[in-house]
Amino acid sequence: MSALLAVSGKGGAGKTAVAAGLVLSLREELNGPILAVDADPNSTLGDALGIPWSTTLANVREATDRPAGVAKADVVEFGVEQAVAEGEGIDLLVMGRPEGPGCYCAVNHLLRGSLQRIARRYEAVVIDNEAGMEHLSRRTTDEVAALLVITGPTVVSLRAARQVLRLAQDEGLRLRRRILVMNQWPSPAPAHLAQEADSITADRRVRLLHSSHVADAYERGHSLTHLPPRDRFRESLRADLVPLALDLIRGRDDAW
Ligand SMILES: Nc1ncnc2c1ncn2[C@@H]1O[C@H](COP(=O)(O)OP(=O)(O)OP(=O)(O)O)[C@@H](O)[C@H]1O
Ligand SMILES: [Mg+2]
C-alpha cells in the first residue's frame, strides 16, 4: 500500500520546490522508486526534478483513436502506463490541463482507476497540486496520508494555508494528517508571523529555510537535483520534513 502525500498552498509559496525537494530526499531513503505526480496544469515539477516528459494524462483523456475490438478501459490503462516518465528512482506523471467543455466523466472514471492501480505500486506518491484543493478529491478516493500545506513567510500566505486546511475538511477527502510547512521561514521569525502560524491547527508544523541555491536554480531554469549537501533548504527539509514523511510511509504516525 502506498502513502499519498499531497502538497498544496498559495500560488508561489514553494509547493513545487518542496514537492521536488521531498521526492529527491526520499529517493535516498527508500528502496523502490517514488511516484511524483504533477497535478498543476502549469507543469513545472519535471523541471524541478530534472525529468523530461513527453505526454500528459490530459492527452490520454482526449485520445479518441482506438483499434477495433480494444476496450476503452484497456486504451486508457495503456495510455496511463505510457504517460509515466521514468527517472532514476523517481517516476513522473504529469496530469496536464483540466477538462475542456466536453464531458469526460466516463473516461475520468477509467483514468482514476488506472491511476490508483499504478499508484499502489509505489511506496510513496507525492502530488504537487495547483493552488487550492478542488481537484484532489476528484482525483483520488484513496486515503491521503498527509496534506502538506505550504506557506511563505507572509501573513497573507499563512491565511491562505489556513483556508486550504479548512477546505480540505469539506472536500470529502479521506485525510489522515495535516502538516503546515513554513517555507523560506526566517529564524527567528517576527512575532506577527509566529503568532499567525501558531494559531493554525495542524498535526505537525515544519520550518524550511530560504536557500540562495534554490532561488538560483529557478532563476537559471536548473533542476534541484544538484543542491550542495550543506544547502540550508535541503538540510532543513532532511532534518524536519523527511522524518515525518518516513513515519507516514512506514505507518509509524500512530504515535503523533
Ligand atoms: N526555500 C526556498 N528558498 C529560496 N527560494 C525559494 C524557496 N522555496 C521557493 N522558492 C522560490 O519561490 C518561487 C516559487 O517557488 P515554486 O515554484 O516552488 O512555488 P509554487 O507554490 O509551486 O508556485 P506555483 O503556485 O506557481 O506552482 C521560486 O522562484 C523559487 O525559487
Ligand atoms: Mg508549482
Side-chain angles (χ1 to χ4, degrees):
M1 194 47 200
S2 64
L4 222 60
L5 307 172
V7 176
S8 189
K10 187 171 159 49
K15 296 181 291 297
T16 302
V18 173
L22 180 61
V23 168
L24 292 166
S25 298
L26 284 176
R27 173 171 66 176
E28 295 168 37
E29 304 291 332
L30 300 176
N31 294 322
I34 299 154
L35 180 64
V37 178
D38 192 340
D40 189 337
N42 206 337
S43 317
T44 59
L45 186 60
D47 288 342
L49 291 170
I51 301 178
W53 50 274
S54 56
T55 190
T56 67
L57 272 197
N59 293 337
V60 175
R61 186 174 53 223
E62 277 150 33
T64 47
D65 294 349
R66 150 157 69 115
V70 179
K72 182 78 186 170
D74 293 336
V75 174
V76 169
E77 182 92 26
F78 180 74
V80 173
E81 297 280 353
Q82 294 290 300
V84 176
E86 289 177 12
E88 267 172 54
I90 300 169
D91 289 350
L92 172 71
L93 190 57
V94 179
M95 307 288 281
R97 63 184 176 283
E99 291 95 286
C103 177
Y104 295 98
C105 305
V107 70
N108 272 341
H109 181 72
L110 292 174
L111 268 180
R112 194 160 61 195
S114 303
L115 200 56
Q116 281 179 331
R117 262 191 302 283
I118 285 187
R120 284 174 195 148
R121 292 184 204 149
Y122 298 85
E123 225 181 327
V125 179
V126 177
I127 310 177
D128 179 15
N129 288 286
E130 59 196 303
M133 286 299 301
E134 300 76 23
H135 303 292
L136 192 56
S137 51
R138 273 201 267 139
R139 285 192 179 125
T140 186
T141 49
D142 280 345
E143 183 184 69
V144 176
L147 177 65
L148 278 57
V149 181
I150 317 301
T151 175
T154 69
V155 168
V156 171
S157 193
L158 282 161
R159 286 183 183 152
R162 184 198 302 278
Q163 187 89 343
V164 169
L165 283 161
R166 271 208 202 115
L167 281 176
Q169 270 169 340
D170 306 336
E171 288 287 329
L173 269 185
R174 291 197 296 134
L175 181 57
R176 192 165 156 80
R177 301 291 184 192
R178 295 166 182 78
I179 303 178
L180 180 67
V181 180
M182 292 128 80
N183 185 34
Q184 307 200 53
W185 207 249
S187 176
H192 64 280
L193 280 186
Q195 246 167 27
E196 188 74 29
D198 287 347
S199 70
I200 296 177
T201 308
D203 293 295
R204 286 286 186 276
R205 47 193 79 229
V206 169
R207 291 168 189 77
L208 301 180
L209 299 179
H210 175 87
S211 151
S212 57
H213 301 113
V214 171
D216 194 53
Y218 266 82
E219 202 259 318
R220 292 169 185 273
H222 293 169
S223 73
L224 300 183
T225 49
H226 289 95
L227 295 180
R230 302 304 308 272
D231 174 70
R232 287 153 50 88
F233 172 70
R234 184 176 162 172
E235 276 195 327
S236 53
L237 198 114
R238 291 181 65 84
D240 295 331
L241 186 55
V242 171
L244 298 183
L246 288 174
D247 275 358
L248 291 157
I249 292 164
R250 295 179 175 150
R252 290 188 310 225
D253 62 308
D254 281 341
W256 284 23

